[in-house]
Amino acid sequence: MKEPMQWILVYFWTLGLTKAYHFQNEIVEPLLNYNGAKRSHCPAIAHKQPANRQDTSLRLRQLRSEMTRVASIQGPPLDGYIVTSDDAHQSDSLDPRDMRREFITGFYGSAGEAVITLNKAVFWTDGRYYIQADHQLDCNWILMKRGREDVPSITEWLIHEFHNQALVRIGADPTLVSAIDWEIWEDELANSSIRLVPVRNNLVDLIWQVNRPNYNPHPAYPLPDKYSGRAWQDKIQSIRIEMEVSKANALVLTALDEIAWLFNVRGYDLPHTPVLRAYAIITGESIHLYTPRHKIFDRWRST
């Protein structure tokens, strides 16, 4: 009897240590670094700057000026403004005209979000771009290396930055933030004094007036059925059947690849991606396609 009892005691003793270890892991949180990563070649006055760094001082001053102009934001002044890397269609690649985050930060990697307050500029990016961001961001910017344990999220940083301030307004262009991200940000800020404010006038657009690229002017073109496999009218009919099953009155399409597939249309509106910049609404009786008129080929206009 003694030998089994020893095993039982050892088992419970070991289990207790394991539980304590996991319990400690659950309650001990890493201290967050709200000041960002150490920057190379900063401060600028003491170091020679990399050749691929742009001075964003003027752009930041102009953006902050727009943050306080009632005419621009159509409401009280903003305490901060979020600039994402997305276009209005959540595309993987962007037309150069839609590269707003690149313009305001000087960073040309494909991923990252910027938060500009009245006295700070903060940029988050992932491990693919730590080195590139450190080289391209000038010394106006705080660099947050997303993915590291001590790096706060955007909402954590905002809550810490404005914890002593009441009625904080953080603006963003709602057409450039996914519905899921917007809801997550609102939920995470719900118990703070910070409110997320949809700003219809994109503030980067207001200051990006010189040397901004134009959209590609070339019209779209039809993809023959022999390549697409099905006529677009047949696809519409299939969608309407699914809408009826789901008891949906309308289907709204914003993703450019979905629109290209549905209508058997191709275009030149994104680099390396043959899509047409458009929106579509399908109902049981009608089809609405929203795109610049010059993009539509003659055969479609008569359909």
Side-chain angles (χ1 to χ4, degrees):
M1 291 294 295
K2 290 184 179 180
E3 186 172 346
M5 182 62 70
Q6 290 174 349
W7 279 107
I8 291 173
L9 290 174
V10 170
Y11 170 77
F12 280 111
W13 179 75
T14 306
L15 183 62
L17 285 181
T18 304
K19 283 187 174 180
Y21 174 78
H22 285 296
F23 178 73
Q24 288 180 353
N25 279 354
E26 289 173 0
I27 64 173
V28 175
E29 297 180 357
L31 295 176
L32 297 180
N33 175 15
Y34 296 97
N35 297 317
K38 183 179 179 181
R39 298 295 313 281
S40 61
H41 309 286
C42 289
I45 57 174
H47 297 84
K48 183 178 180 180
Q49 296 299 288
N52 58 350
R53 253 187 205 178
Q54 300 181 39
D55 185 353
T56 61
S57 300
L58 177 59
R59 298 172 189 176
L60 289 172
R61 286 198 301 271
Q62 291 173 330
L63 185 70
R64 286 167 176 147
S65 177
E66 297 297 339
M67 287 165 55
T68 62
R69 290 184 61 208
V70 175
S72 298
I73 60 178
Q74 299 176 345
L78 297 175
D79 300 287
Y81 190 69
I82 300 174
V83 182
T84 68
S85 297
D86 297 311
D87 66 4
H89 306 273
Q90 301 293 304
S91 304
D92 289 332
S93 60
L94 301 185
D95 185 277
R97 185 175 178 83
D98 290 328
M99 294 181 177
R100 299 173 178 87
R101 189 263 301 152
E102 289 86 339
F103 171 79
I104 198 64
T105 65
F107 169 72
Y108 281 82
S110 64
E113 294 82 38
V115 174
I116 297 94
T117 69
L118 295 178
N119 56 11
K120 291 182 181 179
V122 192
F123 181 72
W124 281 260
T125 194
D126 60 50
R128 295 172 294 171
Y129 298 112
Y130 290 170
I131 296 175
Q132 180 181 348
D134 186 38
H135 276 272
Q136 291 186 334
L137 294 172
D138 70 11
C139 297
N140 287 303
W141 291 89
I142 296 170
L143 174 58
M144 294 292 183
K145 296 182 176 180
R146 178 178 286 141
R148 295 189 173 181
E149 285 189 354
D150 64 341
V151 174
S153 66
I154 289 177
T155 52
E156 287 173 332
W157 187 88
L158 287 171
I159 291 170
H160 178 269
E161 181 70 11
F162 294 103
H163 69 280
N164 287 327
Q165 189 171 329
L167 300 176
V168 178
R169 290 166 50 84
I170 303 298
D173 184 340
T175 67
L176 304 181
V177 180
S178 70
I180 293 176
D181 285 343
W182 193 279
E183 290 175 358
I184 290 174
W185 288 347
E186 282 191 324
D187 289 343
E188 292 175 346
L189 296 171
N191 295 325
S192 71
S193 61
I194 301 171
R195 294 297 173 262
L196 195 59
V197 179
V199 181
R200 301 298 174 180
N201 292 325
N202 188 286
L203 302 190
V204 176
D205 289 351
L206 295 180
I207 67 172
W208 193 4
Q209 300 294 326
V210 178
N211 297 326
R212 186 176 185 183
N214 293 317
Y215 286 125
N216 192 312
H218 296 297
Y221 59 93
L223 186 69
D225 294 349
K226 65 179 180 179
Y227 297 122
S228 65
R230 292 178 67 188
W232 67 268
Q233 294 91 337
D234 292 341
K235 297 178 183 179
I236 293 289
Q237 185 60 32
S238 296
I239 285 177
R240 283 174 170 159
I241 292 173
E242 293 298 327
M243 289 169 56
E244 187 174 350
V245 171
S246 302
K247 298 182 179 180
N249 295 319
L251 173 67
V252 179
L253 297 176
T254 63
L256 302 188
D257 54 348
E258 294 179 355
I259 293 172
W261 175 84
L262 177 59
F263 292 104
N264 292 343
V265 61
R266 299 295 184 266
Y268 303 92
D269 289 352
L270 288 183
H272 319 298
T273 309
V275 293
L276 167 69
R277 192 162 41 85
Y279 300 91
I281 300 177
I282 313 299
T283 71
E285 298 80 27
S286 62
I287 303 169
H288 303 270
L289 184 69
Y290 300 88
T291 192
R293 178 172 289 274
H294 70 274
K295 292 284 185 178
I296 300 301
F297 39 89
D298 292 337
R299 194 179 75 185
W300 252 19
R301 294 179 184 177
S302 60
T303 301

